[in-house]
Structure formats: C-alpha cells, structure tokens
Amino acid sequence: MVDYSKWKNIEISDDEDDTHPNIDTPSLFRWRHQARIERMEQLAQEKEQVEQKKKETQKKLEELKKKKAAADDQTVIENELRKLELQKKEVEVKEKELEKQERSTPWNVDTISKESWSKTMFNKPMPRKDRSQLTDEEQEKIYKDFVDKYESKIKEFAMLSKFDDLRNFLMQYQDLACEETSTYLTFWCLNLEIEGKHELMKHISRQAICLHYILELSKHMDIDPRGCVNAFFTRIQKADKEYMDAFEDEVKSFQERIQTRAKKRLEDAMKEVEEEERKQRLGPGGLDPQEVFESLPECLQKCFETRDIKLLQETILTLDVEEAKLHMKRCIDSGLWVPSPGEAEAINERSSSSTPTTPVEPEEPVYADTTVTSTTQ
C-alpha cells in the first residue's frame, strides 16, 4: 500500500487569505515567507557546522591512533583519544537532533519539491558576414540565387505595414534580414516610381527603411542582422517622439531619393530614344535632316515645306553663291534633298554661275518622316 501520511504534515501556503481585514495581508505573507526561509537557512547552517566538526574529530582520532602505535608513553595519547571519542559522540547526538528536527519540519512550497536538474544556455549571436573580399561576379550570383529563392516572400514582407507583423514575419523567415532583401526592395521602389505607381512605392519604402535600420544596427553591434530583428522592433515600438521623427524623416528622404533617381532614369531613357531616332534619321552624309532643315534660311524652309520646285529655283538665285552651294550640299548630305545621278555636280556648276539646277523633289517618305519627328519634339 502507498503511504500517504507524509502529505498530512504540509505547512499552509503563504498566500492563503486567512488574515483579519485590518491586517496588511501582502506584508504578512512576505514576513511569513521570509521567516520560514531564515529558519531553513539556519538549520542548513547548523547541519554544515556539525558535519564539519564531525570530519575534524574523525581526522584527529585517526592521527592520534597512528601516534599511539609509535609512542613510548601512551598515557597522554589515550587521554586525548578518550576526549575525542566523547566529542565525537556529542557531535553524533547533535547530528541526530538536527535530522529529527528536519523530519519534523512541515513541508512547504520551498521543500515539497526539489530541482532535479537545470541547464543554462546562452545564445551567442553570430558574427556579421564580411563580403568585402567577394568579387562583383560572386556578389551578383549570391543576389540572383537569393532572389530566385525568396522573391515571393520578399514581396509578401513588403506588403505588410504593422511593426508586429513585420517582426513576426522576419522571425519566421530570418534569412530575409540581409543586404539582398534591402537591395531588392530599393530596386523595386525605383521601378514602381518609374512606372508611376507612387503610392505603392511609398508603402514599400517604409519596409525598406525598417530593414535599413536593422542592417545599420547589425553593423554597429558587429553581429548577424538576424540577431537584431527583435532589438529594432522592440526599440521602435517603445520609441519616443524624437526617435520616431528621425525614422519618418529617413522614410521621406528615401522616397525623395527614389523620385530623383527615377526622374533621372526617365530623362536618360528619353535621351537614348531621341539619340536612336536621330541616328535613324541621318542622311547619306551623316547629317540630321531635321537639324539641317531648322538651320536653313526661312525662305528655303518655305520651299521645302510647300515642296514648290519653282519657288526653290527662284530662291536659290536670290542667295549668295557660296551660301546657296553650302545649303544645297547640306540638304543632300542629310537626305532632305535627294538629287538624281549627276545632278549634284550640275548643282555646283549652276551655283557657281548663279543659275540653279532643277532640284529633285525629295522622296516622300524621307521628308514626311522628318516632319513627323519635328512635330513630336
């Protein structure tokens, strides 16, 4: 049968509400607990002293017994042995009394159970990875592999807004706390601004700045960014107004930088398109028909606008010989005027004699294309 008698002698709990209403119950509970702790400590101290005295007495007895075997006069040693034997019995009696007192002490919340084992673990943060030694090709490959693996999770993270949601998501997917995610979000914000999706860019920029802060904290503490996620969100959720104002200023500055960069990208793209169109317009002599047309005297521009060959012949006669010759050559080199074989030489002769050659009407597609381009710009 199971003996349950040991459970009958248990000291009342400290927090049992059995006090008078006029008594400060919490103070009484604290006093009770403190008094019991002091009694337990005193008993433990007495047991330790008795145990120490018992060891010392036993050691002296053994030493005297060795001396007695080699001594000539054993009377003194025997007297010392008797004293030590009496002292040993007194210690044993005291030890039994303390054991009896310990057994009679009621169980309480501090003695009813004992710790079987304990283990303390310290999470040492991982050091921050140094990629300064990697080549551009190696870093590009790391970024590409990371985006291929986590692109959908990065976009899911970017759509969140509450700090608790951001913290939980990064704690669940800790690999996202890295430079690659920050780079991806920055490029994404830039592309969104170029596409005219300004509001979405503003939303994602906040998540990008959160990640920037985590990475900066990682550099400052020289630990892996994954070890800074909790620290950052705990700080920002309890931050004062000054800290939050600095955070909001950083978000606005980031958005302004994105807008400036997007505007520059668009301007560069427009210049590339215009330059490509200009190259496609270049005539056989490498001149731009539109630029040549705009540089012609107003009287010659009117001739080409109206496509009036007779008016062109009359206008050339009114110009200086060298000026007329220069303008006609530039028109031919730009493709604005396409003469028939042998007419270019005749033009020079006519220009020299102040008698214009019959101009060849420019081909319709060439002239029409020039006009359309000018209107677009």
mmCIF file of all heavy atoms in Angstrom, residues 84-115:
data_model
loop_
_atom_site.group_PDB
_atom_site.id
_atom_site.type_symbol
_atom_site.label_atom_id
_atom_site.label_comp_id
_atom_site.label_asym_id
_atom_site.label_seq_id
_atom_site.Cartn_x
_atom_site.Cartn_y
_atom_site.Cartn_z
ATOM 1 N N LEU A 84 38.430 12.867 22.526
ATOM 2 C CA LEU A 84 37.934 12.932 21.144
ATOM 3 C C LEU A 84 36.752 11.998 20.930
ATOM 4 O O LEU A 84 35.828 12.316 20.169
ATOM 5 C CB LEU A 84 39.066 12.599 20.168
ATOM 6 C CG LEU A 84 40.160 13.687 20.020
ATOM 7 C CD1 LEU A 84 41.282 13.186 19.127
ATOM 8 C CD2 LEU A 84 39.563 14.964 19.435
ATOM 9 N N GLU A 85 36.787 10.858 21.588
ATOM 10 C CA GLU A 85 35.668 9.924 21.463
ATOM 11 C C GLU A 85 34.399 10.525 22.049
ATOM 12 O O GLU A 85 33.312 10.409 21.467
ATOM 13 C CB GLU A 85 36.003 8.608 22.183
ATOM 14 C CG GLU A 85 37.055 7.770 21.502
ATOM 15 C CD GLU A 85 36.547 7.158 20.198
ATOM 16 O OE1 GLU A 85 35.317 7.170 19.954
ATOM 17 O OE2 GLU A 85 37.397 6.685 19.413
ATOM 18 N N LEU A 86 34.538 11.192 23.195
ATOM 19 C CA LEU A 86 33.366 11.866 23.786
ATOM 20 C C LEU A 86 32.854 12.990 22.872
ATOM 21 O O LEU A 86 31.646 13.167 22.689
ATOM 22 C CB LEU A 86 33.753 12.432 25.167
ATOM 23 C CG LEU A 86 33.994 11.423 26.276
ATOM 24 C CD1 LEU A 86 34.508 12.126 27.542
ATOM 25 C CD2 LEU A 86 32.712 10.659 26.598
ATOM 26 N N GLN A 87 33.816 13.722 22.322
ATOM 27 C CA GLN A 87 33.437 14.816 21.419
ATOM 28 C C GLN A 87 32.728 14.282 20.181
ATOM 29 O O GLN A 87 31.761 14.873 19.701
ATOM 30 C CB GLN A 87 34.692 15.597 21.020
ATOM 31 C CG GLN A 87 34.404 16.863 20.222
ATOM 32 C CD GLN A 87 35.664 17.655 19.937
ATOM 33 O OE1 GLN A 87 36.701 17.410 20.547
ATOM 34 N NE2 GLN A 87 35.556 18.590 19.028
ATOM 35 N N LYS A 88 33.177 13.148 19.705
ATOM 36 C CA LYS A 88 32.555 12.532 18.525
ATOM 37 C C LYS A 88 31.129 12.117 18.821
ATOM 38 O O LYS A 88 30.228 12.307 17.996
ATOM 39 C CB LYS A 88 33.398 11.327 18.085
ATOM 40 C CG LYS A 88 32.841 10.625 16.863
ATOM 41 C CD LYS A 88 33.707 9.435 16.481
ATOM 42 C CE LYS A 88 33.111 8.709 15.278
ATOM 43 N NZ LYS A 88 33.896 7.515 14.912
ATOM 44 N N LYS A 89 30.914 11.552 20.064
ATOM 45 C CA LYS A 89 29.548 11.138 20.433
ATOM 46 C C LYS A 89 28.628 12.344 20.542
ATOM 47 O O LYS A 89 27.465 12.284 20.139
ATOM 48 C CB LYS A 89 29.583 10.363 21.752
ATOM 49 C CG LYS A 89 30.229 8.991 21.645
ATOM 50 C CD LYS A 89 30.236 8.269 22.982
ATOM 51 C CE LYS A 89 30.870 6.892 22.875
ATOM 52 N NZ LYS A 89 30.877 6.186 24.183
ATOM 53 N N GLU A 90 29.155 13.449 21.090
ATOM 54 C CA GLU A 90 28.342 14.669 21.186
ATOM 55 C C GLU A 90 27.947 15.183 19.802
ATOM 56 O O GLU A 90 26.807 15.627 19.596
ATOM 57 C CB GLU A 90 29.132 15.737 21.936
ATOM 58 C CG GLU A 90 29.346 15.430 23.412
ATOM 59 C CD GLU A 90 30.220 16.465 24.088
ATOM 60 O OE1 GLU A 90 30.683 17.403 23.373
ATOM 61 O OE2 GLU A 90 30.445 16.361 25.316
ATOM 62 N N VAL A 91 28.884 15.110 18.902
ATOM 63 C CA VAL A 91 28.592 15.562 17.529
ATOM 64 C C VAL A 91 27.531 14.674 16.897
ATOM 65 O O VAL A 91 26.613 15.166 16.218
ATOM 66 C CB VAL A 91 29.879 15.575 16.680
ATOM 67 C CG1 VAL A 91 29.544 15.835 15.210
ATOM 68 C CG2 VAL A 91 30.848 16.634 17.190
ATOM 69 N N GLU A 92 27.637 13.367 17.118
ATOM 70 C CA GLU A 92 26.655 12.444 16.540
ATOM 71 C C GLU A 92 25.273 12.675 17.139
ATOM 72 O O GLU A 92 24.261 12.578 16.431
ATOM 73 C CB GLU A 92 27.110 11.011 16.782
ATOM 74 C CG GLU A 92 28.337 10.628 15.970
ATOM 75 C CD GLU A 92 28.839 9.231 16.301
ATOM 76 O OE1 GLU A 92 28.360 8.666 17.326
ATOM 77 O OE2 GLU A 92 29.701 8.712 15.557
ATOM 78 N N VAL A 93 25.224 12.977 18.456
ATOM 79 C CA VAL A 93 23.934 13.272 19.086
ATOM 80 C C VAL A 93 23.320 14.520 18.475
ATOM 81 O O VAL A 93 22.120 14.568 18.178
ATOM 82 C CB VAL A 93 24.110 13.435 20.619
ATOM 83 C CG1 VAL A 93 22.834 13.987 21.247
ATOM 84 C CG2 VAL A 93 24.488 12.110 21.266
ATOM 85 N N LYS A 94 24.176 15.562 18.319
ATOM 86 C CA LYS A 94 23.692 16.806 17.720
ATOM 87 C C LYS A 94 23.199 16.573 16.285
ATOM 88 O O LYS A 94 22.168 17.124 15.866
ATOM 89 C CB LYS A 94 24.834 17.836 17.725
ATOM 90 C CG LYS A 94 24.460 19.194 17.158
ATOM 91 C CD LYS A 94 23.417 19.898 18.014
ATOM 92 C CE LYS A 94 23.119 21.285 17.508
ATOM 93 N NZ LYS A 94 22.059 21.981 18.266
ATOM 94 N N GLU A 95 23.907 15.727 15.571
ATOM 95 C CA GLU A 95 23.532 15.425 14.182
ATOM 96 C C GLU A 95 22.163 14.754 14.130
ATOM 97 O O GLU A 95 21.329 15.077 13.269
ATOM 98 C CB GLU A 95 24.597 14.531 13.549
ATOM 99 C CG GLU A 95 24.361 14.244 12.063
ATOM 100 C CD GLU A 95 25.458 13.380 11.483
ATOM 101 O OE1 GLU A 95 26.105 12.619 12.252
ATOM 102 O OE2 GLU A 95 25.677 13.461 10.263
ATOM 103 N N LYS A 96 21.911 13.812 15.058
ATOM 104 C CA LYS A 96 20.612 13.125 15.103
ATOM 105 C C LYS A 96 19.491 14.090 15.469
ATOM 106 O O LYS A 96 18.382 13.996 14.940
ATOM 107 C CB LYS A 96 20.667 11.965 16.093
ATOM 108 C CG LYS A 96 21.553 10.818 15.626
ATOM 109 C CD LYS A 96 21.573 9.679 16.648
ATOM 110 C CE LYS A 96 22.442 8.532 16.187
ATOM 111 N NZ LYS A 96 22.495 7.417 17.179
ATOM 112 N N GLU A 97 19.789 15.036 16.352
ATOM 113 C CA GLU A 97 18.769 16.023 16.730
ATOM 114 C C GLU A 97 18.378 16.892 15.527
ATOM 115 O O GLU A 97 17.194 17.178 15.313
ATOM 116 C CB GLU A 97 19.308 16.901 17.863
ATOM 117 C CG GLU A 97 19.423 16.194 19.202
ATOM 118 C CD GLU A 97 20.003 17.100 20.272
ATOM 119 O OE1 GLU A 97 20.379 18.256 19.918
ATOM 120 O OE2 GLU A 97 20.083 16.679 21.439
ATOM 121 N N LEU A 98 19.384 17.288 14.787
ATOM 122 C CA LEU A 98 19.098 18.120 13.616
ATOM 123 C C LEU A 98 18.303 17.342 12.561
ATOM 124 O O LEU A 98 17.395 17.876 11.923
ATOM 125 C CB LEU A 98 20.401 18.643 13.005
ATOM 126 C CG LEU A 98 21.157 19.684 13.854
ATOM 127 C CD1 LEU A 98 22.489 20.035 13.195
ATOM 128 C CD2 LEU A 98 20.309 20.936 14.036
ATOM 129 N N GLU A 99 18.630 16.063 12.390
ATOM 130 C CA GLU A 99 17.886 15.228 11.445
ATOM 131 C C GLU A 99 16.440 15.071 11.892
ATOM 132 O O GLU A 99 15.511 15.111 11.073
ATOM 133 C CB GLU A 99 18.564 13.870 11.318
ATOM 134 C CG GLU A 99 19.899 13.919 10.588
ATOM 135 C CD GLU A 99 20.577 12.567 10.547
ATOM 136 O OE1 GLU A 99 20.037 11.620 11.187
ATOM 137 O OE2 GLU A 99 21.627 12.441 9.876
ATOM 138 N N LYS A 100 16.258 14.890 13.203
ATOM 139 C CA LYS A 100 14.894 14.759 13.731
ATOM 140 C C LYS A 100 14.119 16.067 13.548
ATOM 141 O O LYS A 100 12.945 16.058 13.167
ATOM 142 C CB LYS A 100 14.956 14.395 15.209
ATOM 143 C CG LYS A 100 13.593 14.178 15.841
ATOM 144 C CD LYS A 100 13.729 13.782 17.313
ATOM 145 C CE LYS A 100 12.356 13.583 17.948
ATOM 146 N NZ LYS A 100 12.469 13.224 19.387
ATOM 147 N N GLN A 101 14.809 17.184 13.787
ATOM 148 C CA GLN A 101 14.166 18.487 13.606
ATOM 149 C C GLN A 101 13.777 18.701 12.139
ATOM 150 O O GLN A 101 12.709 19.228 11.838
ATOM 151 C CB GLN A 101 15.111 19.598 14.069
ATOM 152 C CG GLN A 101 14.517 21.000 13.975
ATOM 153 C CD GLN A 101 15.493 22.068 14.442
ATOM 154 O OE1 GLN A 101 16.515 21.754 15.041
ATOM 155 N NE2 GLN A 101 15.165 23.309 14.170
ATOM 156 N N GLU A 102 14.654 18.273 11.241
ATOM 157 C CA GLU A 102 14.373 18.434 9.818
ATOM 158 C C GLU A 102 13.183 17.582 9.390
ATOM 159 O O GLU A 102 12.345 18.015 8.580
ATOM 160 C CB GLU A 102 15.613 18.072 8.996
ATOM 161 C CG GLU A 102 15.461 18.355 7.500
ATOM 162 C CD GLU A 102 16.735 18.056 6.736
ATOM 163 O OE1 GLU A 102 17.582 17.288 7.257
ATOM 164 O OE2 GLU A 102 16.884 18.579 5.624
ATOM 165 N N ARG A 103 13.107 16.346 9.939
ATOM 166 C CA ARG A 103 11.992 15.471 9.584
ATOM 167 C C ARG A 103 10.676 15.993 10.136
ATOM 168 O O ARG A 103 9.623 15.806 9.522
ATOM 169 C CB ARG A 103 12.252 14.064 10.119
ATOM 170 C CG ARG A 103 13.318 13.305 9.351
ATOM 171 C CD ARG A 103 13.267 11.809 9.687
ATOM 172 N NE ARG A 103 13.487 11.573 11.102
ATOM 173 C CZ ARG A 103 14.684 11.359 11.664
ATOM 174 N NH1 ARG A 103 15.766 11.382 10.905
ATOM 175 N NH2 ARG A 103 14.795 11.153 12.953
ATOM 176 N N SER A 104 10.744 16.650 11.281
ATOM 177 C CA SER A 104 9.508 17.153 11.896
ATOM 178 C C SER A 104 9.045 18.496 11.310
ATOM 179 O O SER A 104 7.943 18.946 11.591
ATOM 180 C CB SER A 104 9.716 17.315 13.412
ATOM 181 O OG SER A 104 10.717 18.274 13.687
ATOM 182 N N THR A 105 9.906 19.133 10.540
ATOM 183 C CA THR A 105 9.530 20.413 9.930
ATOM 184 C C THR A 105 8.480 20.173 8.842
ATOM 185 O O THR A 105 8.666 19.322 7.968
ATOM 186 C CB THR A 105 10.756 21.102 9.310
ATOM 187 O OG1 THR A 105 11.734 21.302 10.339
ATOM 188 C CG2 THR A 105 10.377 22.442 8.701
ATOM 189 N N PRO A 106 7.362 20.887 8.901
ATOM 190 C CA PRO A 106 6.324 20.686 7.878
ATOM 191 C C PRO A 106 6.846 21.018 6.474
ATOM 192 O O PRO A 106 7.686 21.888 6.300
ATOM 193 C CB PRO A 106 5.217 21.668 8.286
ATOM 194 C CG PRO A 106 5.480 21.988 9.710
ATOM 195 C CD PRO A 106 6.952 21.893 9.902
ATOM 196 N N TRP A 107 6.310 20.318 5.496
ATOM 197 C CA TRP A 107 6.647 20.633 4.111
ATOM 198 C C TRP A 107 6.026 21.970 3.735
ATOM 199 O O TRP A 107 4.987 22.366 4.252
ATOM 200 C CB TRP A 107 6.115 19.551 3.181
ATOM 201 C CG TRP A 107 6.924 18.287 3.220
ATOM 202 C CD1 TRP A 107 7.932 17.973 4.091
ATOM 203 C CD2 TRP A 107 6.799 17.177 2.332
ATOM 204 N NE1 TRP A 107 8.435 16.747 3.841
ATOM 205 C CE2 TRP A 107 7.764 16.214 2.741
ATOM 206 C CE3 TRP A 107 5.993 16.869 1.257
ATOM 207 C CZ2 TRP A 107 7.923 15.005 2.100
ATOM 208 C CZ3 TRP A 107 6.147 15.663 0.604
ATOM 209 C CH2 TRP A 107 7.105 14.732 1.024
ATOM 210 N N ASN A 108 6.672 22.630 2.828
ATOM 211 C CA ASN A 108 6.137 23.898 2.322
ATOM 212 C C ASN A 108 6.442 24.019 0.839
ATOM 213 O O ASN A 108 7.013 23.113 0.226
ATOM 214 C CB ASN A 108 6.722 25.072 3.118
ATOM 215 C CG ASN A 108 8.244 25.078 3.102
ATOM 216 O OD1 ASN A 108 8.855 25.240 2.049
ATOM 217 N ND2 ASN A 108 8.852 24.863 4.280
ATOM 218 N N VAL A 109 6.102 25.161 0.302
ATOM 219 C CA VAL A 109 6.252 25.345 -1.147
ATOM 220 C C VAL A 109 7.709 25.281 -1.577
ATOM 221 O O VAL A 109 8.023 24.974 -2.721
ATOM 222 C CB VAL A 109 5.615 26.692 -1.576
ATOM 223 C CG1 VAL A 109 6.401 27.868 -1.015
ATOM 224 C CG2 VAL A 109 5.504 26.803 -3.087
ATOM 225 N N ASP A 110 8.647 25.576 -0.647
ATOM 226 C CA ASP A 110 10.066 25.574 -0.993
ATOM 227 C C ASP A 110 10.716 24.207 -0.834
ATOM 228 O O ASP A 110 11.807 23.977 -1.358
ATOM 229 C CB ASP A 110 10.820 26.587 -0.131
ATOM 230 C CG ASP A 110 10.349 28.015 -0.387
ATOM 231 O OD1 ASP A 110 10.259 28.376 -1.574
ATOM 232 O OD2 ASP A 110 10.083 28.741 0.584
ATOM 233 N N THR A 111 10.086 23.296 -0.046
ATOM 234 C CA THR A 111 10.704 21.997 0.211
ATOM 235 C C THR A 111 9.904 20.824 -0.334
ATOM 236 O O THR A 111 10.380 19.694 -0.288
ATOM 237 C CB THR A 111 10.877 21.789 1.733
ATOM 238 O OG1 THR A 111 9.585 21.885 2.371
ATOM 239 C CG2 THR A 111 11.798 22.845 2.305
ATOM 240 N N ILE A 112 8.700 21.076 -0.812
ATOM 241 C CA ILE A 112 7.843 19.975 -1.253
ATOM 242 C C ILE A 112 8.378 19.316 -2.521
ATOM 243 O O ILE A 112 8.062 18.182 -2.844
ATOM 244 C CB ILE A 112 6.400 20.486 -1.470
ATOM 245 C CG1 ILE A 112 5.425 19.295 -1.417
ATOM 246 C CG2 ILE A 112 6.278 21.253 -2.775
ATOM 247 C CD1 ILE A 112 3.972 19.731 -1.350
ATOM 248 N N SER A 113 9.216 20.085 -3.237
ATOM 249 C CA SER A 113 9.841 19.518 -4.436
ATOM 250 C C SER A 113 11.243 20.088 -4.568
ATOM 251 O O SER A 113 11.548 21.166 -4.047
ATOM 252 C CB SER A 113 9.024 19.856 -5.686
ATOM 253 O OG SER A 113 8.960 21.258 -5.878
ATOM 254 N N LYS A 114 12.090 19.364 -5.247
ATOM 255 C CA LYS A 114 13.462 19.783 -5.462
ATOM 256 C C LYS A 114 13.771 19.760 -6.955
ATOM 257 O O LYS A 114 13.216 18.970 -7.711
ATOM 258 C CB LYS A 114 14.441 18.869 -4.720
ATOM 259 C CG LYS A 114 14.319 18.956 -3.207
ATOM 260 C CD LYS A 114 15.351 18.079 -2.542
ATOM 261 C CE LYS A 114 15.248 18.185 -1.032
ATOM 262 N NZ LYS A 114 16.231 17.331 -0.345
ATOM 263 N N GLU A 115 14.674 20.645 -7.330
ATOM 264 C CA GLU A 115 15.092 20.716 -8.730
ATOM 265 C C GLU A 115 15.899 19.475 -9.080
ATOM 266 O O GLU A 115 16.907 19.175 -8.438
ATOM 267 C CB GLU A 115 15.917 21.982 -8.952
ATOM 268 C CG GLU A 115 16.284 22.190 -10.402
ATOM 269 C CD GLU A 115 17.068 23.473 -10.613
ATOM 270 O OE1 GLU A 115 17.573 24.025 -9.617
ATOM 271 O OE2 GLU A 115 17.158 23.920 -11.761
#
